[in-house]
Every structure is written in C-alpha cells, then in structure tokens.
Amino acid sequence: MKKAVVLGGGGPVGIAWETGIIAGLESAGILLGKADFILGTSAGSMVGAQIASGWSAISMVETEMKQAETPPKGNDSSGPSPNLDQLMEFMLKASSEDPLQHWKKIGGFALTAKTISEDTFLSYFKDIAGVGHWPENYFCTAINVKDGSFKLWNKNEDVELQKAVTSSCAVPGIFPPITIKGDRYMDGGMASATNATLAKGHDRVVILSVMTEEMQKFMGNPLEKEVHILEAAGSKVMVISPDTLSVEAFGPNLMDNSRRSSVAKAGLRQGKAEALKLHAIWD
C-alpha cells in the first residue's frame, strides 16, 4: 500500500501547527515521515523536509515552543513591514486568469518588492542545511518568477535542500525569490496551498491543511476539488484541518511568530485526537 503525506502552507503559524499535529500522531505510533511520498508547500516544505530526514516530531514541537519563547535575533520581524494588499488582489483574480500568466504577474511583483536579502532569508533555514542529503521520499513546490512555470523539487534535481525549501517558502512581497541555477523561484503556494493532486496514484493520502474552512471558501474551495481528483483516481484521503481550538490559537495573522508556542500545543492536542481516525486508514 503506497502512502502519501501532503503538508500545506501557512507561515510560521502553519509550521507550528503542522509540527504539533505530526507530534501528536507520532505519540500515538503514526510516523508520517515514513510515508512513500512527502509533499511540502511553503510552510509544509520546512516541516516535510524535517520529518522526511528522520527528525522526531516530538523533539521538533519542543523546539517550536523554545524558539517562540526566545525569538532569534534578526528574524523576519526586523525586516520591512510586509504589504499583502497587492498579493491578495492577485490571489482574488486566480480563478479568472490563465494560471501561467497569473503566476508570471505575481512573479513580477515578487521581483520588485522590497524585502530582506536572499542570504538573510536562507539563514532562517540553516538547520535544514545540516541534513546533508536529499531524502528519497521528499518533494517540495516552487514557481519560476520569470516564466510562471511550476517546479517540483526532488532528489533528482541536483539542488541544495536548503535552497529548495527556502524557495518554497518565499512568499511574494514578504520574502525574496531564491536564485537556483540562474533562475529565481517563489512560494509554491501561489499555485495551491497544498498542491495535493501531486499525490495522485497513492492508495492512502493524508493532507494537513492550515487553511480553515472559511479561508477555503474565500479561495473557491480548491482543496475540496483536489480531494475529489484524488478520490476519483482511487486514493483514500483524510484531511486534517484546524479544529476550533487550533483556530483560536492561530489568531488573525499566520505570519505571527509570537503565537508559535500556543499553536504548537494546540496542534499537539489535536494530533492526538486525530490519531484514532487516521489509524483506521493508515495501518
């Protein structure tokens, strides 16, 4: 039985919540890092790289809580204030434009936005650089800002894991596109918050979606459509999205680092609660 894990985007809050969920599942004996296919988009690319590399999710959630208590010097709060208005305008037009042209427009915006430097942004992911190899079962998404083409990074691309993960997290207008082999790449979440259809062909698919039901409706329910595609192809799918207590912990801003500790705790609690349902299809 082929298993896939899909980890969606959602900023620092999303990283904390997904880490908590996975740790809660791990405490119940479900090791998502052992899946045949682990797909990360944006925040999910960071978490996916960690679990695919064999990191303990329980240790990861403890680290989330410690980092939230003592934020590192030079974190993104010290950079220029992000202006998300134009990005949101782009996102609202997504369903009415050709995807390639739409992503090119966002790419142009990403290139001209004032952000921290690439080197500074890469330094946020220095722990990933210590992995030293590309996990066989790990994939992450990005978009070429010049031509709008979608990129699925994997072990065959001859790309540093740290750079690939950073490119997947490069939210236009907040962080700079990352240079890889002469091209520059931005957040794969501009295509989809989860890009879940890439898990097509796997018997079991578990999707961690940071986006609440309200957010999904605002974006035209793309995850619901992706799940239908997977199920039509024969996959049994379980979606784990934030429950009421997790949503309360999130607050209004997914980029709010100060909430990471409370969000990780909420995810840990929810992950333990979700374990029984996941055991039914995963074991």
Side-chain angles (χ1 to χ4, degrees):
M1 182 169 64
K2 295 173 63 179
K3 301 176 182 178
V5 174
V6 176
L7 303 168
V13 165
I15 290 175
W17 179 76
E18 290 182 345
T19 300
I21 290 286
I22 296 169
L25 295 173
E26 183 178 297
S27 70
I30 300 175
L31 304 178
L32 295 188
K34 300 293 186 182
D36 302 285
F37 179 85
I38 296 175
L39 175 68
T41 290
S42 199
S45 69
M46 173 71 166
V47 180
Q50 291 173 321
I51 64 171
S53 300
W55 293 19
S56 163
I58 294 174
S59 296
M60 287 162 57
V61 82
E62 291 173 352
T63 299
E64 276 295 313
M65 294 175 188
K66 290 178 182 176
Q67 288 180 341
E69 293 167 2
T70 55
K73 293 181 180 179
N75 64 8
D76 53 289
S77 63
S78 65
S81 299
N83 181 359
L84 295 177
D85 292 343
Q86 190 170 347
L87 180 59
M88 292 307 298
E89 289 179 14
F90 280 125
M91 299 303 288
L92 286 171
K93 297 176 182 177
S95 61
S96 62
E97 295 184 337
D98 171 75
L100 198 63
Q101 295 303 314
H102 176 67
W103 299 337
K104 283 176 67 175
K105 288 181 182 178
I106 298 178
F109 164 63
L111 287 171
T112 57
K114 293 182 179 180
T115 68
I116 57 175
S117 69
E118 285 191 58
D119 286 343
T120 299
F121 189 36
L122 280 164
S123 72
Y124 294 174
F125 301 86
K126 60 181 181 297
D127 289 344
I128 293 297
V131 170
H133 69 284
W134 189 290
E136 292 279 331
N137 59 343
Y138 175 70
F139 302 76
C140 67
T141 66
I143 294 175
N144 187 312
V145 297
K146 182 178 180 180
D147 61 17
S149 59
F150 183 85
K151 191 70 178 180
L152 182 64
W153 299 119
N154 61 73
K155 64 182 180 62
N156 298 320
E157 293 289 340
D158 191 29
V159 171
E160 294 175 29
L161 183 62
Q162 180 188 15
K163 281 198 170 185
V165 170
T166 308
S167 73
S168 188
C169 294
V171 181
I174 300 180
F175 301 119
I178 298 301
T179 304
I180 300 176
K181 296 184 177 180
D183 286 316
R184 298 186 73 187
Y185 294 87
M186 65 181 178
D187 193 334
M190 297 302 100
S192 162
T194 54
N195 293 295
T197 55
L198 293 172
K200 190 175 178 181
H202 291 82
D203 303 295
R204 300 288 186 268
V205 181
V206 59
I207 302 171
L208 270 60
S209 171
V210 181
M211 301 296 150
T212 63
E213 289 186 13
E214 289 74 16
M215 292 177 183
Q216 287 291 334
K217 290 177 182 177
F218 175 76
M219 298 173 69
N221 290 318
L223 179 56
E224 182 180 21
K225 297 171 185 175
E226 291 174 354
V227 170
H228 286 166
I229 290 172
L230 290 171
E231 290 178 336
S235 298
K236 193 161 189 176
V237 182
M238 177 174 171
V239 176
I240 300 177
S241 55
D243 62 12
T244 301
L245 293 178
S246 289
V247 171
E248 290 177 1
F250 280 15
N253 184 1
L254 294 179
M255 301 302 293
D256 187 353
N257 272 296
S258 70
R259 290 184 174 267
R260 286 166 55 188
S261 182
S262 58
V263 169
K265 290 176 183 176
L268 180 62
R269 172 201 51 78
Q270 185 181 349
K272 291 177 179 178
E274 300 281 0
L276 185 59
K277 289 185 286 185
L278 187 54
H279 268 305
I281 71 165
W282 198 254
D283 295 344

